Amino acid sequence: MGSLEETCASLRAQITATEEQLAGLRRDLANAEQARSESATTTTAGNEHNDRNGQARRWPLLQEEYKRYGRQMIVSQVGLKGQLKLRSAKLLLVGAGGLGCPAAQYLAGAGVGTIGLIDGDTVEVSNLHRQVLHRTKNVGKYKVDSAIESLRELNPHPTYVAHRTHLTPDEAPAIFRNYDLILDCTDNPATRYLISDTAVLTGKPLVSASALRTEGQLMVLNNPPRAPGDKTGGPCYRCVFPKPPPADSVVSCADGGILGPVVGTMGVLQALEAIKVITAPDVGVADGAASVSRDPPALHVFSAYSSPLVRTIRLRSRRANCAVCSAEATVTVDTIKSGSTDYVFFCGSASIPSLLGPEERISAQEYHEKYPGVSEASPHTVIDVRDKGQFEICSLENSINIPISDILSSGYSKLQAADAEKQAPQLPSWLPSELGSESNPIYVVCRLGNDSQIVVKKMKELGLDQNGQRFIGDIRGGLRSWKEQVDPEWPEY
Amino acid sequence: MADSSATIQGAIPIPITVEFTGGLELLFGNERKHKVVLPPQLEDGSRPNISYLLKYLVDNLMKDQRKDMFIMEDNVRPGILVLINDADWELEGEETYELQQGDNIVFVSTLHGG
């Protein structure tokens, strides 16, 4: 039943979105027809100045567009030429989240002619603090539809294209070919490599950004976009990061947190860099040597709590043995589409730990039934291994907080534990001393039930289970399960 | 500083600044900026280079026990950029770069959120 309801809801959302898109196309058509009839009359009227209506017809932009874009057109770096380039530009934003929303907002505002958005996610309440195009009423709707709805209200002139799907290797090259420039507004390494590879192979410049917690990073890649093997092209993502980071070291915004204005800053900077690339003066034959004034490749690192806020780092040029943009390239459009360039395999996936046996785990419900009231009757310890900030948001009664980072960074090693077998065990510094001597059971809990397993394993390695005499286990599924099974009012964040 | 220029190169210790960003600071006691003083000469007579610095940081400055979050196969792990005075280390000779007084070495972990 649930899935049927979801299907219906999804279909309804798609119908609404398609209708909106249709309405948008009608508006676009009306605009285009108006422009055509104006240009037709201009042509027939020739250069006659006596035609009262003819005054407007000789101008390349609509009256309303001069007003709308005037403030940026009088900035010398843009001008009328730049505005016309923006209007004929086609930009694709991959990701309509924390980066994509502000980037799209400024690009639509600036009058970019065609803006494509690709994202298969729907709007969640936890997105709203930073994904500024989405409205509370649009929770559950496809992000691309929600975003385009806002963008149309802001500026009805551009053509908006919704791709309600995640970018896949088999579709990426065909989609990218319809655009002039790509913005990487995604949130995972596999997609970032896919985007960069496809951008190089389809000859598109790429504006790439990312953000986490209080920091952000920004690069303009494959600029100028030259064929693989052409050393005058800009470096690609693989030139800078030939190998992906270990999957376990990759932290998402959901796990690490993110400040809205931090990711917003990065998205706005992406829009800025995209505008700079599009409106850059043509490097004509007359100008002689190419790439006269192009900025050298750089990485901009934004750090909200540092001074200066942004630091710019000079990057290398194209890597001589790059797998994509060098003469020795092994990645091609065919290897991408066929799947023989396997991005998921290349980047790996973080192992979801299943370290403990069933006898070492207890469900939230079982724990609650076992210890319904105050624990004096049946003493035990609950160790919450989330970080301090999360513990302060909400915690179980009588639980103590020992962040997993303290536990894992502890210098107390197996070796010391082995020595300790002969004498009284030396306790690690993070462990409250009374816990070392007691034999009451210990339950470890975290947000989702992953970190808790790592900690249980570590505590047993340290011998805290007194050779199996003392129970140490975790609450399966963490505090999320606690909300589902025991306490519906638990604040899930 | 005037003294140091008069002294023979290599005879005085080498003060440098090391910074960590992109979450790497969490491995180093949650401190972004560290002042480090390296010996002017190593036992084999060579000057300290980036390779030496990596080992020095792991042995002396790193608080976290998870060494492989910073070092893999005797080099920085994939996903970390090393910057020598605000330039990608690949522009400066990578791990063979010999450290100079006052150098600023930054380790940046790539971010992926968005």
Side-chain angles (χ1 to χ4, degrees), chain A residues 31 34-35 38-39 42 55-74 78-88 110-113 157:
Chain A
N31 284 340
Q34 192 199 348
E38 279 174 7
S39 79
T42 311
Q55 289 292 327
R57 292 167 196 153
R58 287 175 291 113
W59 308 109
L61 296 173
L62 304 174
Q63 290 289 324
E64 200 262 350
E65 292 178 296
Y66 285 96
K67 278 220 170 73
R68 183 183 280 266
Y69 307 126
R71 298 291 192 275
Q72 77 187 28
M73 283 169 65
I74 59 177
V78 176
L80 174 65
K81 263 190 191 169
Q83 193 61 49
L84 293 172
K85 283 179 180 170
L86 287 171
R87 193 174 65 172
S88 57
V112 168
H157 295 296

Side-chain angles (χ1 to χ4, degrees), chain A residues 222-295:
Chain A
N222 196 37
N223 184 40
R226 298 274 156 80
D230 185 338
K231 287 175 190 160
T232 64
C236 72
Y237 195 75
R238 279 192 202 252
C239 295
V240 184
F241 300 111
K243 282 189 202 162
D248 291 334
S249 72
V250 176
V251 183
S252 69
C253 290
D255 291 337
I258 179 71
L259 291 189
V262 169
V263 68
T265 299
M266 301 320 292
V268 172
L269 287 176
Q270 277 185 289
L272 176 62
E273 291 298 335
I275 290 171
K276 281 164 66 180
V277 171
I278 295 164
T279 60
D282 301 307
V283 184
V285 186
D287 297 337
S291 66
V292 198
S293 60
R294 225 182 285 266
D295 291 332

Side-chain angles (χ1 to χ4, degrees), chain A residues 98-99 186-189 192 210-211 215 217 237 241 243-246 299 303 311 313-314 316 319 408-410, chain B residues 19 21-23 32 63-66 72 77-78 81 83 86-88 90 104 106 108-114:
Chain A
L99 294 165
T186 62
D187 61 2
N188 67 85
R192 290 187 182 277
S210 59
E215 297 191 326
Q217 297 170 354
Y237 195 75
F241 300 111
K243 282 189 202 162
L299 166 69
S303 183
R311 117 188 265 160
I313 291 141
R314 282 178 296 129
R316 52 163 310 119
R319 187 179 285 272
L408 293 184
S409 67
S410 155
Chain B
E19 288 182 63
T21 86
R32 284 173 191 274
K63 297 274 192 299
D64 203 288
Q65 295 302 297
R66 292 167 292 171
M72 282 173 92
R77 74 153 167 77
L81 280 184
L83 310 168
D86 281 344
D88 191 334
E90 299 189 29
N104 184 296
V106 185
V108 184
S109 175
T110 43
L111 306 175
H112 297 94

